[in-house]
Amino acid sequence: MLKRALAIISLLIIGYWLAQGLAGVPFGQDKMLVGQYYLNHVREQTGAVNAVTAVVVNYRGFDTLGEVTVLFIASTGVGALLWRKKRERTAKTEGSVVLKTGAELLFPFIVLFGAYIFIHGHLTPGGGFPGGATIATAFLLLYMAFVGYEIPHRAFEKVEGVAGMGYVLVGLIGLAIGGYFLFDWIWLTWKWGAENIGRLFSAGFIPVIYTLIGIKVGTELSGIIDNMLKEEVGE
Amino acid sequence: MEEASKVSRYLYTLIVLFLIWLALTASLDPQELTFGFILSAIVAAITYPIFTTRGLANLHPKRIAYAIVYVPYFLWAMIMANLDVAYRVLHPKRPIRPGIVHCKTVLKTNPGKLALANSITLTPGTITLDVDCDNYFIHWIWVPDEALTEKEEEHVKAASEKITAPFEKFLKVIFE
């Protein structure tokens, strides 16, 4: 009781403190310093209509590379923590025919929609991470509906690695052409797609990178799901 | 139910996915069409083995016609069902007589069973609890007198006539 009361009191103090700090920040007023630069120059500098993806992939590309690395480490870490020689799915309850057929029929649509999200990253909200997470959801659905389902491990691990290397490779080509890592060579050097900003084939390397990230995130999260759903079995 | 050839199943998946892509993008920009086709082809190559067992035979004109007619028929049943439930909720005496009944279906394929189960759940105060081969176990908000019998056969017959039969005449053509 005393513990709980103390916790509530300290939370209230912290909350009041944060509220006092935020009270000095006006709401709904123009406080953009760097933001205004992004909004004014995003079209001619990156060719993207979606300013968020342009910032995430072009202006602040290193952060995205870091995020991809974090995800990769998370996946590897789960794999390392749960590593055993012999692990199998030990689920016992088979889903009903309604669940199984529903999962079968929905699976292609979810995968296609995930691909739609990451390919339109420069035009609509979304991008590689939501698209990849959507694709992983499709595999989660199969895992939940079928007792014995497993992703094709070999293919998934290879695709994941190739997609990650592809991202770095695109950045290295930028280094060779433009002089710094993650230089957008497709847009700034080739001017490819410059006449149709706002259509699908535009925005330099954003769609390329987001396709790679989408594939990587999709396979990676599926791998984490696979690792966490399997249990150790005796030899 | 024997499986259709791989080519037929692949093409069917490709066609369905491309139609979905058209609906998603809602544009006829040649860039979107080209890329949508490539993407549908790739996704179809990965997913066709679990998506369909009958392939292009699903696109028989008679089946499509019945499916199109089924939509308004089903929507009408759904509207009446919701009004019926609203009536039961608002009625001062709350006339409910809940019970779980047992129905049998004539449908054989899994997609047909799925469509029937969902149709039942979305209409007149009935919810599908479980499907086991051709047996449906359904929770009914108002079990009528005909189904309140001790004899299993009569019970199944009465319940099936009221619940599954109206949908089956369409679903049988669409999915069998």
Side-chain angles (χ1 to χ4, degrees), chain B residues 79-123:
Chain B
I79 292 167
M80 296 317 284
N82 285 301
L83 291 177
D84 178 67
V85 172
Y87 162 77
R88 286 178 202 285
V89 171
L90 295 173
H91 195 284
K93 279 185 185 150
R94 205 167 48 142
I96 54 170
R97 194 203 276 164
I100 294 170
V101 295
H102 177 193
C103 294
K104 276 194 190 297
T105 179
V106 294
L107 298 172
K108 299 280 187 298
T109 59
N110 284 343
K113 285 177 185 168
L114 172 71
L116 180 59
N118 283 335
S119 303
I120 289 170
T121 299
L122 289 169
T123 50

Side-chain angles (χ1 to χ4, degrees), chain A residues 169-190:
Chain A
L169 192 70
V170 170
L172 286 177
I173 295 174
L175 182 66
I177 295 178
Y180 58 94
F181 190 59
L182 288 175
F183 173 81
D184 188 351
W185 41 282
I186 299 179
W187 176 258
L188 291 172
T189 309
W190 295 0

